Amino acid sequence: MKTLLLVAALFCALSKVVAIGAEPAPSQSLGDHREERAQDVEFLAEELPKLHIRPFEKVSEAAWRRTAVQLGIETQLLADVDYYLRLCQLVAMLGDSHTRVGKAPGISFRGYPFAVSMFKEGPCLIAVEKPHAALLGARLVKIGDTTFDDAEPRISTLFAAENRSSVINGVCQFVTQAEPLVYLQLIDRPEEAPFTFVDAAGVEHVVRFNPVDASGPRPEIASLPSVPKEHWPASYTRDRDYRFVTMPEKKAVYVRYDVCRDDPERPFKEFVESIGTAIDEIGAERIVVDLRFNGGGNSAVMAPLTKLIASKKVFKQKGSVAVLIGRRTFSSAQLNAVELQRECGAVLVGQPTGQKPNAFGEVRTFKLPSSGIEIQYSTKEFRTAPAGTDPESTMPDIEVEPSVRDLEGARDPVLERALALPLGE
């Protein structure tokens, strides 16, 4: 289930204590280049529109350039982190999820020791430092004095979002980052930041978190599910970038594909050959490909798996090929989902993707000359929606919205639904 990926991200964040798109480095900080910031903003305003395939589809050029000019004027007044976040907001105005501010020398954000994910009930706590473990599964309702619903549009200015799914992804990540929340005036100061949760009984709990500093100790984390691992479904375990599990009792093979790239220590072609052998050995009648955790890469890597599935006579019957999609299915993974649907008759099960079917991609980067901040931008357009349409997401054929109670009980209703598809109907 996709929430487990967020738990893994939390542990990564606590170990590195960095923000989305930011990376600490021993080089000069932005503070050493204050007088050169205006030049960087001017360079960005000149180069990004020239390099991006079509920069002004979501915002008028005049409005964007006015914002850039204003930032150039105000650069001397901004602290390093605030300047970086203002750049993030400027680039996010283009509305292209592949176009963003990347690495920034000397910039790091501190993370609060908890993680939330969006469920049927709303944004729920899926990991937290152990003293507050009793609140796992509780719903986040306030950040400081601001409701989550009111905070969401403010947080979403920090990143580009193409649809509702990508808004949810970004907000659930940034809501645990101290410096962005202070910048947005959602909390007064990083220390003892108040967050309000409502438990299953409807009782409110205000918890004050301190951000985790890289030089300090890492807190012990409790996370969902709480049941022993031997009771977890196949989808809860990650093994490198891709793995598969046979389910002889269901005559099925489950494939979890998390990153669109070839692992040189386990080439994807050899991985697919192993899947083909397993299909024959257990007499599989269905295959489930899980793309819910996949944020993209090179869409061509999946070609051997698509070819294998298309070549198997047993997978010609309706319902025998299922693809699991969700909010984190992005970029090349979204292309792969559509490819399997088109070429293998796959049934899409889950939630709307975080990537629009018609979207930009094929990214390249450049650096701002003074600060060294990296800017990522799109150079190509991809169109996978039917002609004349422009849907917000690739939509599942069968929509399944998990509950936080499913995660608590180590259930994966999306996978369960895929395995229960009638064959040949």
Side-chain angles (χ1 to χ4, degrees), residues 5 61 77 81 109 111-112 173 180-181 200 203 224 234 236 246 260 263 266 282 302 306 322 335 356 380 408 414 423:
L5 188 64
E61 181 174 0
L77 305 175
V81 169
F109 300 159
Y112 292 113
Q173 291 177 3
L181 295 183
V203 178
L224 296 177
Y236 276 35
T246 58
C260 300
D263 183 345
R266 191 188 191 187
I282 69 168
M302 181 177 271
T306 304
L335 295 176
K356 284 174 61 72
K380 186 176 179 180
E408 288 176 340
V414 181
L423 295 175

PDB file of all heavy atoms in Angstrom, residues 5 61 77 81 109 111-112 173 180-181 200 203 224 234 236 246 260 263 266 282 302 306 322 335 356 380 408 414 423:
ATOM      1  N   LEU A   5       5.275   3.415   1.568  1.00  0.00           N
ATOM      2  CA  LEU A   5       6.334   4.182   0.924  1.00  0.00           C
ATOM      3  C   LEU A   5       6.557   5.503   1.643  1.00  0.00           C
ATOM      4  O   LEU A   5       7.685   5.962   1.789  1.00  0.00           O
ATOM      5  CB  LEU A   5       5.965   4.436  -0.536  1.00  0.00           C
ATOM      6  CG  LEU A   5       7.059   5.073  -1.393  1.00  0.00           C
ATOM      7  CD1 LEU A   5       8.255   4.139  -1.495  1.00  0.00           C
ATOM      8  CD2 LEU A   5       6.529   5.396  -2.769  1.00  0.00           C
ATOM      9  N   GLU A  61       1.986  34.781 -19.169  1.00  0.00           N
ATOM     10  CA  GLU A  61       3.385  35.199 -19.147  1.00  0.00           C
ATOM     11  C   GLU A  61       3.545  36.492 -18.364  1.00  0.00           C
ATOM     12  O   GLU A  61       4.512  36.668 -17.608  1.00  0.00           O
ATOM     13  CB  GLU A  61       3.902  35.372 -20.568  1.00  0.00           C
ATOM     14  CG  GLU A  61       5.356  35.786 -20.629  1.00  0.00           C
ATOM     15  CD  GLU A  61       5.921  35.820 -22.031  1.00  0.00           C
ATOM     16  OE1 GLU A  61       5.167  35.515 -22.980  1.00  0.00           O
ATOM     17  OE2 GLU A  61       7.118  36.154 -22.178  1.00  0.00           O
ATOM     18  N   LEU A  77      16.029  41.248   1.031  1.00  0.00           N
ATOM     19  CA  LEU A  77      15.311  41.237   2.306  1.00  0.00           C
ATOM     20  C   LEU A  77      15.042  39.834   2.827  1.00  0.00           C
ATOM     21  O   LEU A  77      14.565  39.683   3.945  1.00  0.00           O
ATOM     22  CB  LEU A  77      13.967  41.970   2.140  1.00  0.00           C
ATOM     23  CG  LEU A  77      14.028  43.399   1.589  1.00  0.00           C
ATOM     24  CD1 LEU A  77      12.627  43.936   1.372  1.00  0.00           C
ATOM     25  CD2 LEU A  77      14.826  44.296   2.523  1.00  0.00           C
ATOM     26  N   VAL A  81      16.516  30.479   3.333  1.00  0.00           N
ATOM     27  CA  VAL A  81      15.447  29.501   3.118  1.00  0.00           C
ATOM     28  C   VAL A  81      14.247  30.160   2.461  1.00  0.00           C
ATOM     29  O   VAL A  81      13.615  29.589   1.561  1.00  0.00           O
ATOM     30  CB  VAL A  81      15.050  28.825   4.447  1.00  0.00           C
ATOM     31  CG1 VAL A  81      13.766  28.015   4.288  1.00  0.00           C
ATOM     32  CG2 VAL A  81      16.176  27.916   4.940  1.00  0.00           C
ATOM     33  N   PHE A 109      16.039  21.519   5.217  1.00  0.00           N
ATOM     34  CA  PHE A 109      14.861  21.683   6.062  1.00  0.00           C
ATOM     35  C   PHE A 109      14.876  20.603   7.134  1.00  0.00           C
ATOM     36  O   PHE A 109      15.302  19.474   6.890  1.00  0.00           O
ATOM     37  CB  PHE A 109      13.562  21.533   5.264  1.00  0.00           C
ATOM     38  CG  PHE A 109      13.384  22.518   4.151  1.00  0.00           C
ATOM     39  CD1 PHE A 109      12.521  22.242   3.114  1.00  0.00           C
ATOM     40  CD2 PHE A 109      14.062  23.731   4.139  1.00  0.00           C
ATOM     41  CE1 PHE A 109      12.341  23.138   2.080  1.00  0.00           C
ATOM     42  CE2 PHE A 109      13.891  24.633   3.120  1.00  0.00           C
ATOM     43  CZ  PHE A 109      13.029  24.335   2.075  1.00  0.00           C
ATOM     44  N   GLY A 111      12.784  18.047   9.584  1.00  0.00           N
ATOM     45  CA  GLY A 111      11.506  17.348   9.519  1.00  0.00           C
ATOM     46  C   GLY A 111      10.961  17.035  10.893  1.00  0.00           C
ATOM     47  O   GLY A 111      11.709  16.775  11.832  1.00  0.00           O
ATOM     48  N   TYR A 112       9.635  17.078  11.008  1.00  0.00           N
ATOM     49  CA  TYR A 112       8.992  16.642  12.253  1.00  0.00           C
ATOM     50  C   TYR A 112       8.845  15.122  12.234  1.00  0.00           C
ATOM     51  O   TYR A 112       8.643  14.517  11.169  1.00  0.00           O
ATOM     52  CB  TYR A 112       7.631  17.317  12.411  1.00  0.00           C
ATOM     53  CG  TYR A 112       7.732  18.803  12.641  1.00  0.00           C
ATOM     54  CD1 TYR A 112       7.278  19.710  11.684  1.00  0.00           C
ATOM     55  CD2 TYR A 112       8.318  19.303  13.803  1.00  0.00           C
ATOM     56  CE1 TYR A 112       7.388  21.084  11.879  1.00  0.00           C
ATOM     57  CE2 TYR A 112       8.437  20.675  14.009  1.00  0.00           C
ATOM     58  CZ  TYR A 112       7.974  21.557  13.043  1.00  0.00           C
ATOM     59  OH  TYR A 112       8.110  22.907  13.243  1.00  0.00           O
ATOM     60  N   GLN A 173       3.656  15.556   2.084  1.00  0.00           N
ATOM     61  CA  GLN A 173       5.099  15.577   2.306  1.00  0.00           C
ATOM     62  C   GLN A 173       5.542  16.863   2.999  1.00  0.00           C
ATOM     63  O   GLN A 173       6.296  16.833   3.971  1.00  0.00           O
ATOM     64  CB  GLN A 173       5.832  15.404   0.974  1.00  0.00           C
ATOM     65  CG  GLN A 173       5.665  14.014   0.385  1.00  0.00           C
ATOM     66  CD  GLN A 173       6.335  13.868  -0.966  1.00  0.00           C
ATOM     67  OE1 GLN A 173       6.976  14.793  -1.455  1.00  0.00           O
ATOM     68  NE2 GLN A 173       6.182  12.714  -1.579  1.00  0.00           N
ATOM     69  N   PRO A 180       9.375  25.302   5.817  1.00  0.00           N
ATOM     70  CA  PRO A 180       8.274  25.740   4.945  1.00  0.00           C
ATOM     71  C   PRO A 180       7.020  26.136   5.711  1.00  0.00           C
ATOM     72  O   PRO A 180       6.330  27.086   5.317  1.00  0.00           O
ATOM     73  CB  PRO A 180       8.026  24.510   4.057  1.00  0.00           C
ATOM     74  CG  PRO A 180       9.348  23.829   3.998  1.00  0.00           C
ATOM     75  CD  PRO A 180       9.919  24.000   5.373  1.00  0.00           C
ATOM     76  N   LEU A 181       6.715  25.453   6.810  1.00  0.00           N
ATOM     77  CA  LEU A 181       5.519  25.796   7.572  1.00  0.00           C
ATOM     78  C   LEU A 181       5.671  27.157   8.258  1.00  0.00           C
ATOM     79  O   LEU A 181       4.713  27.920   8.372  1.00  0.00           O
ATOM     80  CB  LEU A 181       5.222  24.708   8.611  1.00  0.00           C
ATOM     81  CG  LEU A 181       4.860  23.324   8.059  1.00  0.00           C
ATOM     82  CD1 LEU A 181       4.515  22.373   9.192  1.00  0.00           C
ATOM     83  CD2 LEU A 181       3.713  23.397   7.048  1.00  0.00           C
ATOM     84  N   ALA A 200     -10.066   7.941  16.590  1.00  0.00           N
ATOM     85  CA  ALA A 200     -11.242   7.221  16.094  1.00  0.00           C
ATOM     86  C   ALA A 200     -12.477   7.479  16.940  1.00  0.00           C
ATOM     87  O   ALA A 200     -13.610   7.360  16.459  1.00  0.00           O
ATOM     88  CB  ALA A 200     -10.944   5.726  16.035  1.00  0.00           C
ATOM     89  N   VAL A 203     -11.950  12.272  19.709  1.00  0.00           N
ATOM     90  CA  VAL A 203     -11.286  13.094  20.721  1.00  0.00           C
ATOM     91  C   VAL A 203     -10.108  13.835  20.086  1.00  0.00           C
ATOM     92  O   VAL A 203      -9.299  13.238  19.370  1.00  0.00           O
ATOM     93  CB  VAL A 203     -10.794  12.236  21.906  1.00  0.00           C
ATOM     94  CG1 VAL A 203     -10.068  13.101  22.931  1.00  0.00           C
ATOM     95  CG2 VAL A 203     -11.955  11.502  22.544  1.00  0.00           C
ATOM     96  N   LEU A 224       2.320   2.220  11.209  1.00  0.00           N
ATOM     97  CA  LEU A 224       1.324   1.229  10.808  1.00  0.00           C
ATOM     98  C   LEU A 224       1.862   0.430   9.624  1.00  0.00           C
ATOM     99  O   LEU A 224       2.637   0.950   8.826  1.00  0.00           O
ATOM    100  CB  LEU A 224       0.022   1.936  10.402  1.00  0.00           C
ATOM    101  CG  LEU A 224      -0.700   2.719  11.491  1.00  0.00           C
ATOM    102  CD1 LEU A 224      -1.937   3.411  10.903  1.00  0.00           C
ATOM    103  CD2 LEU A 224      -1.104   1.811  12.649  1.00  0.00           C
ATOM    104  N   ALA A 234       1.466  -9.259   0.073  1.00  0.00           N
ATOM    105  CA  ALA A 234       2.667  -9.208  -0.765  1.00  0.00           C
ATOM    106  C   ALA A 234       3.045  -7.774  -1.138  1.00  0.00           C
ATOM    107  O   ALA A 234       4.226  -7.451  -1.291  1.00  0.00           O
ATOM    108  CB  ALA A 234       2.444 -10.032  -2.027  1.00  0.00           C
ATOM    109  N   TYR A 236       3.143  -5.116   0.551  1.00  0.00           N
ATOM    110  CA  TYR A 236       3.725  -4.293   1.604  1.00  0.00           C
ATOM    111  C   TYR A 236       5.251  -4.348   1.638  1.00  0.00           C
ATOM    112  O   TYR A 236       5.875  -3.605   2.377  1.00  0.00           O
ATOM    113  CB  TYR A 236       3.196  -4.740   2.968  1.00  0.00           C
ATOM    114  CG  TYR A 236       1.865  -4.136   3.358  1.00  0.00           C
ATOM    115  CD1 TYR A 236       0.889  -3.874   2.415  1.00  0.00           C
ATOM    116  CD2 TYR A 236       1.584  -3.848   4.687  1.00  0.00           C
ATOM    117  CE1 TYR A 236      -0.324  -3.343   2.769  1.00  0.00           C
ATOM    118  CE2 TYR A 236       0.360  -3.308   5.060  1.00  0.00           C
ATOM    119  CZ  TYR A 236      -0.587  -3.058   4.091  1.00  0.00           C
ATOM    120  OH  TYR A 236      -1.798  -2.525   4.462  1.00  0.00           O
ATOM    121  N   THR A 246       4.777 -15.220  -6.408  1.00  0.00           N
ATOM    122  CA  THR A 246       3.764 -16.126  -6.948  1.00  0.00           C
ATOM    123  C   THR A 246       2.715 -16.402  -5.886  1.00  0.00           C
ATOM    124  O   THR A 246       3.012 -16.466  -4.692  1.00  0.00           O
ATOM    125  CB  THR A 246       4.392 -17.455  -7.402  1.00  0.00           C
ATOM    126  OG1 THR A 246       5.060 -18.069  -6.295  1.00  0.00           O
ATOM    127  CG2 THR A 246       5.382 -17.237  -8.537  1.00  0.00           C
ATOM    128  N   CYS A 260      11.073   3.107 -12.788  1.00  0.00           N
ATOM    129  CA  CYS A 260      11.254   2.763 -14.200  1.00  0.00           C
ATOM    130  C   CYS A 260      12.732   2.880 -14.573  1.00  0.00           C
ATOM    131  O   CYS A 260      13.147   3.833 -15.263  1.00  0.00           O
ATOM    132  CB  CYS A 260      10.398   3.663 -15.084  1.00  0.00           C
ATOM    133  SG  CYS A 260       8.632   3.581 -14.768  1.00  0.00           S
ATOM    134  N   ASP A 263      18.004  -2.292 -13.209  1.00  0.00           N
ATOM    135  CA  ASP A 263      18.971  -2.555 -12.150  1.00  0.00           C
ATOM    136  C   ASP A 263      20.089  -3.416 -12.740  1.00  0.00           C
ATOM    137  O   ASP A 263      19.855  -4.566 -13.099  1.00  0.00           O
ATOM    138  CB  ASP A 263      18.281  -3.296 -10.995  1.00  0.00           C
ATOM    139  CG  ASP A 263      19.206  -3.543  -9.813  1.00  0.00           C
ATOM    140  OD1 ASP A 263      20.444  -3.415  -9.977  1.00  0.00           O
ATOM    141  OD2 ASP A 263      18.702  -3.875  -8.724  1.00  0.00           O
ATOM    142  N   ARG A 266      20.440  -6.782 -11.395  1.00  0.00           N
ATOM    143  CA  ARG A 266      19.312  -7.670 -11.668  1.00  0.00           C
ATOM    144  C   ARG A 266      18.598  -7.126 -12.901  1.00  0.00           C
ATOM    145  O   ARG A 266      17.547  -6.514 -12.791  1.00  0.00           O
ATOM    146  CB  ARG A 266      18.360  -7.716 -10.473  1.00  0.00           C
ATOM    147  CG  ARG A 266      17.307  -8.807 -10.565  1.00  0.00           C
ATOM    148  CD  ARG A 266      16.306  -8.642  -9.437  1.00  0.00           C
ATOM    149  NE  ARG A 266      15.429  -9.781  -9.316  1.00  0.00           N
ATOM    150  CZ  ARG A 266      14.377  -9.834  -8.499  1.00  0.00           C
ATOM    151  NH1 ARG A 266      14.092  -8.793  -7.734  1.00  0.00           N
ATOM    152  NH2 ARG A 266      13.621 -10.902  -8.449  1.00  0.00           N
ATOM    153  N   ILE A 282       3.345 -22.409 -12.069  1.00  0.00           N
ATOM    154  CA  ILE A 282       2.154 -22.464 -11.214  1.00  0.00           C
ATOM    155  C   ILE A 282       0.856 -22.477 -12.021  1.00  0.00           C
ATOM    156  O   ILE A 282      -0.235 -22.538 -11.452  1.00  0.00           O
ATOM    157  CB  ILE A 282       2.105 -21.293 -10.204  1.00  0.00           C
ATOM    158  CG1 ILE A 282       1.852 -19.954 -10.926  1.00  0.00           C
ATOM    159  CG2 ILE A 282       3.364 -21.247  -9.365  1.00  0.00           C
ATOM    160  CD1 ILE A 282       1.514 -18.822  -9.973  1.00  0.00           C
ATOM    161  N   MET A 302      10.027  -1.106 -19.217  1.00  0.00           N
ATOM    162  CA  MET A 302       8.986  -2.110 -19.013  1.00  0.00           C
ATOM    163  C   MET A 302       8.688  -2.938 -20.260  1.00  0.00           C
ATOM    164  O   MET A 302       7.976  -3.951 -20.172  1.00  0.00           O
ATOM    165  CB  MET A 302       7.701  -1.454 -18.521  1.00  0.00           C
ATOM    166  CG  MET A 302       6.591  -2.466 -18.281  1.00  0.00           C
ATOM    167  SD  MET A 302       5.070  -1.812 -17.616  1.00  0.00           S
ATOM    168  CE  MET A 302       5.415  -1.931 -15.877  1.00  0.00           C
ATOM    169  N   THR A 306       5.704  -6.046 -20.839  1.00  0.00           N
ATOM    170  CA  THR A 306       4.531  -5.865 -21.697  1.00  0.00           C
ATOM    171  C   THR A 306       4.513  -6.931 -22.790  1.00  0.00           C
ATOM    172  O   THR A 306       3.461  -7.528 -23.080  1.00  0.00           O
ATOM    173  CB  THR A 306       4.548  -4.463 -22.337  1.00  0.00           C
ATOM    174  OG1 THR A 306       4.615  -3.476 -21.310  1.00  0.00           O
ATOM    175  CG2 THR A 306       3.309  -4.229 -23.182  1.00  0.00           C
ATOM    176  N   ALA A 322      -4.316  -7.196 -14.471  1.00  0.00           N
ATOM    177  CA  ALA A 322      -4.726  -6.027 -13.677  1.00  0.00           C
ATOM    178  C   ALA A 322      -3.512  -5.158 -13.395  1.00  0.00           C
ATOM    179  O   ALA A 322      -2.411  -5.671 -13.133  1.00  0.00           O
ATOM    180  CB  ALA A 322      -5.374  -6.461 -12.366  1.00  0.00           C
ATOM    181  N   LEU A 335       2.590   6.329 -18.109  1.00  0.00           N
ATOM    182  CA  LEU A 335       2.674   5.870 -19.488  1.00  0.00           C
ATOM    183  C   LEU A 335       2.620   4.351 -19.558  1.00  0.00           C
ATOM    184  O   LEU A 335       1.967   3.776 -20.438  1.00  0.00           O
ATOM    185  CB  LEU A 335       3.969   6.373 -20.139  1.00  0.00           C
ATOM    186  CG  LEU A 335       4.126   7.890 -20.313  1.00  0.00           C
ATOM    187  CD1 LEU A 335       5.504   8.210 -20.872  1.00  0.00           C
ATOM    188  CD2 LEU A 335       3.044   8.450 -21.216  1.00  0.00           C
ATOM    189  N   LYS A 356      -1.121  13.630 -15.241  1.00  0.00           N
ATOM    190  CA  LYS A 356      -2.135  13.768 -16.283  1.00  0.00           C
ATOM    191  C   LYS A 356      -1.768  12.894 -17.479  1.00  0.00           C
ATOM    192  O   LYS A 356      -0.583  12.733 -17.783  1.00  0.00           O
ATOM    193  CB  LYS A 356      -2.247  15.217 -16.738  1.00  0.00           C
ATOM    194  CG  LYS A 356      -2.983  16.136 -15.797  1.00  0.00           C
ATOM    195  CD  LYS A 356      -2.916  17.589 -16.269  1.00  0.00           C
ATOM    196  CE  LYS A 356      -3.566  17.775 -17.635  1.00  0.00           C
ATOM    197  NZ  LYS A 356      -5.037  17.671 -17.588  1.00  0.00           N
ATOM    198  N   LYS A 380       9.470  17.946 -23.562  1.00  0.00           N
ATOM    199  CA  LYS A 380       8.653  17.151 -24.486  1.00  0.00           C
ATOM    200  C   LYS A 380       7.241  17.027 -23.953  1.00  0.00           C
ATOM    201  O   LYS A 380       7.021  17.056 -22.743  1.00  0.00           O
ATOM    202  CB  LYS A 380       9.279  15.754 -24.660  1.00  0.00           C
ATOM    203  CG  LYS A 380       8.616  14.873 -25.699  1.00  0.00           C
ATOM    204  CD  LYS A 380       9.373  13.553 -25.842  1.00  0.00           C
ATOM    205  CE  LYS A 380       8.716  12.636 -26.869  1.00  0.00           C
ATOM    206  NZ  LYS A 380       9.454  11.348 -26.998  1.00  0.00           N
ATOM    207  N   GLU A 408      -4.145  -0.320   9.222  1.00  0.00           N
ATOM    208  CA  GLU A 408      -4.008  -0.816  10.598  1.00  0.00           C
ATOM    209  C   GLU A 408      -4.093  -2.335  10.638  1.00  0.00           C
ATOM    210  O   GLU A 408      -3.351  -2.997  11.371  1.00  0.00           O
ATOM    211  CB  GLU A 408      -5.097  -0.204  11.484  1.00  0.00           C
ATOM    212  CG  GLU A 408      -4.888   1.268  11.789  1.00  0.00           C
ATOM    213  CD  GLU A 408      -6.033   1.863  12.594  1.00  0.00           C
ATOM    214  OE1 GLU A 408      -7.138   1.278  12.605  1.00  0.00           O
ATOM    215  OE2 GLU A 408      -5.836   2.919  13.212  1.00  0.00           O
ATOM    216  N   VAL A 414      -7.021  -2.736  -2.580  1.00  0.00           N
ATOM    217  CA  VAL A 414      -6.802  -2.563  -4.014  1.00  0.00           C
ATOM    218  C   VAL A 414      -6.316  -3.880  -4.621  1.00  0.00           C
ATOM    219  O   VAL A 414      -6.846  -4.351  -5.642  1.00  0.00           O
ATOM    220  CB  VAL A 414      -5.804  -1.425  -4.287  1.00  0.00           C
ATOM    221  CG1 VAL A 414      -5.599  -1.243  -5.787  1.00  0.00           C
ATOM    222  CG2 VAL A 414      -6.281  -0.131  -3.657  1.00  0.00           C
ATOM    223  N   LEU A 423     -12.878 -13.738 -14.367  1.00  0.00           N
ATOM    224  CA  LEU A 423     -12.123 -14.016 -15.575  1.00  0.00           C
ATOM    225  C   LEU A 423     -13.058 -14.315 -16.743  1.00  0.00           C
ATOM    226  O   LEU A 423     -14.016 -15.078 -16.604  1.00  0.00           O
ATOM    227  CB  LEU A 423     -11.184 -15.208 -15.355  1.00  0.00           C
ATOM    228  CG  LEU A 423     -10.070 -14.991 -14.312  1.00  0.00           C
ATOM    229  CD1 LEU A 423      -9.299 -16.287 -14.106  1.00  0.00           C
ATOM    230  CD2 LEU A 423      -9.144 -13.872 -14.740  1.00  0.00           C
TER     231      LEU A 423
END
